[in-house]
């Protein structure tokens, strides 16, 4: 990547701490050895991917490549599919790739979106006696294991001066966790948008803590190393189009709300609330700052014995040819 291109994109994105993706120039020839199929995993929180699916820009850019989309309930399930070769490209929060790497997966980080600390919450019932993070002691907390919510709860427990063993985690996927929370089988639910926005609309739970001051909630893009090494131009095209999707969210909010609502099956007020909390999210290649932050998350999980072995995040970082940290 040429330095001049990096400078231009730094000005465009105003993200001095991140290495932006070089723009894919219109008319540039793609390599002849494109994949026959590009299989993409996404979830309800994947705003840029959801809009990219609707826009069909990949089908226009990658002529002859069959683009197939697979929806997952959460990041850990998505990375299981990536690990066994069922998909080629995925996006999750910070913890799922750490758990996958600890389990021996050959995935690589190929990119990231900026921090979104305000799009996750630890929720209690309106009449709950839980008023402070210290009150989590002895409580049952519904969490998707290995998700951003998992780390959110860990940091909340630590900030309260508690130990992980002081709580009772109940590992449930989002839909099951909501059901358990609503019927009172658990005391607390840690969850991210748009699931948080959805229950806000119907049940008005009380927010014990958002991610602000506790977690960064970066979104990571991941692939198999073999796919990224063989098709770096495909990754480049993906990132350019994902960033265009984010620009669409900022400039055409009402239309974006309608598209995402139709895709997710959630109502427009839920999606509008979610997008209101979501910051601008262009896609960038990884930088040392991003890697260092992810390493801190990994080290914390290992120190708490929540993953079986220490993880070196840098071992799983992929950068396009000619690019250095």
């Amino acid at each position: 990547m040429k330095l001049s291109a990096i400078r231009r994109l730094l000005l465009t994105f105003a993200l001095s701490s991140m290495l932006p993706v070089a723009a894919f120039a219109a008319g540039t020839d793609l390599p002849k050895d494109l994949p026959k199929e590009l299989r993409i995993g996404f979830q309800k929180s994947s705003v840029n991917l959801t809009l990219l699916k609707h826009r069909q820009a990949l089908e226009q850019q990658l002529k002859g490549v069959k683009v197939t989309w697979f929806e997952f309930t959460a990041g850990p399930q998505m990375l299981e599919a990536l690990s066994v070769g069922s998909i080629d490209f995925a996006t999750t929060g910070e913890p799922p790739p750490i758990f996958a790497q600890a389990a021996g997966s050959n995935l690589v980080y190929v990119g990231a979106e900026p921090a979104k600390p305000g799009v996750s919450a630890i929720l209690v019932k309106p009449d709950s006696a839980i008023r402070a993070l210290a009150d989590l002691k002895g409580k049952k907390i519904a969490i998707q294991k290995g998700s951003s919510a998992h780390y959110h709860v860990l940091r909340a427990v630590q900030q309260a001066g508690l130990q992980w063993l002081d709580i009772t985690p109940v590992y449930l996927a989002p839909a099951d966790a909501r059901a358990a929370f609503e019927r009172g089988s658990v005391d607390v639910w840690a969850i991210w948008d748009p699931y948080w926005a959805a229950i806000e609309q119907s049940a008005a739970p009380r927010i014990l803590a958002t991610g602000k001051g506790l977690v960064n909630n970066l979104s990571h893009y991941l692939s198999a190393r073999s796919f990224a090494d063989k098709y770096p131009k495909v990754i480049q095209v993906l990132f350019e189009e994902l960033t265009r999707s984010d620009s669409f969210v900022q400039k055409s909010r009402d239309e974006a709300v309608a598209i995402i609502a139709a895709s997710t099956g959630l109502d427009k007020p839920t999606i509008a609330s979610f997008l209101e909390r979501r910051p601008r999210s262009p896609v960038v290649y990884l930088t040392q700052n991003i890697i260092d932050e992810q390493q801190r998350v990994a080290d914390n999980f290992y120190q708490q014995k929540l993953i079986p072995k220490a993880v070196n995040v840098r071992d799983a970082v992929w950068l396009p040819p000619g690019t250095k940290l």
Side-chain angles (χ1 to χ4, degrees), residues 98-239:
I98 291 168
F99 277 71
Q101 193 177 356
S105 174
N106 195 36
L107 60 79
V108 289
Y109 298 84
V110 295
E113 293 177 8
K116 304 177 185 68
V119 301
S120 64
I122 298 173
L123 305 174
V124 297
K125 294 286 188 64
D127 59 352
S128 172
I130 301 170
R131 294 288 170 179
L133 294 179
D135 297 333
L136 293 174
K137 186 174 183 177
K139 300 301 187 294
K140 293 181 179 179
I141 305 177
I143 313 167
Q144 165 68 63
K145 186 175 183 178
S147 71
S148 59
H150 199 164
Y151 191 58
H152 191 171
V153 172
L154 173 57
R155 290 291 300 119
V157 165
Q158 291 173 328
Q159 183 153 308
L162 303 174
Q163 301 296 317
W164 186 253
L165 294 177
D166 288 330
I167 66 164
T168 301
V170 180
Y171 295 121
L172 297 168
D176 294 331
R178 174 170 176 166
F181 179 69
E182 290 184 320
R183 67 172 176 263
S185 299
V186 296
D187 305 296
V188 182
W189 183 24
I191 193 57
W192 58 90
D193 272 328
Y195 299 107
W196 169 23
I199 197 170
E200 268 188 318
Q201 299 295 320
S202 62
R206 180 158 47 83
I207 301 167
L208 185 65
T210 69
K212 294 178 180 179
L214 292 173
V215 292
N216 284 325
N217 281 341
L218 273 78
S219 296
H220 288 282
Y221 287 92
L222 303 116
S223 181
R225 186 180 296 277
S226 57
F227 185 91
D229 284 344
K230 189 173 184 179
Y231 305 115
K233 283 291 186 182
V234 172
I235 302 296
Q236 185 178 339
V237 172
L238 272 162
F239 286 4

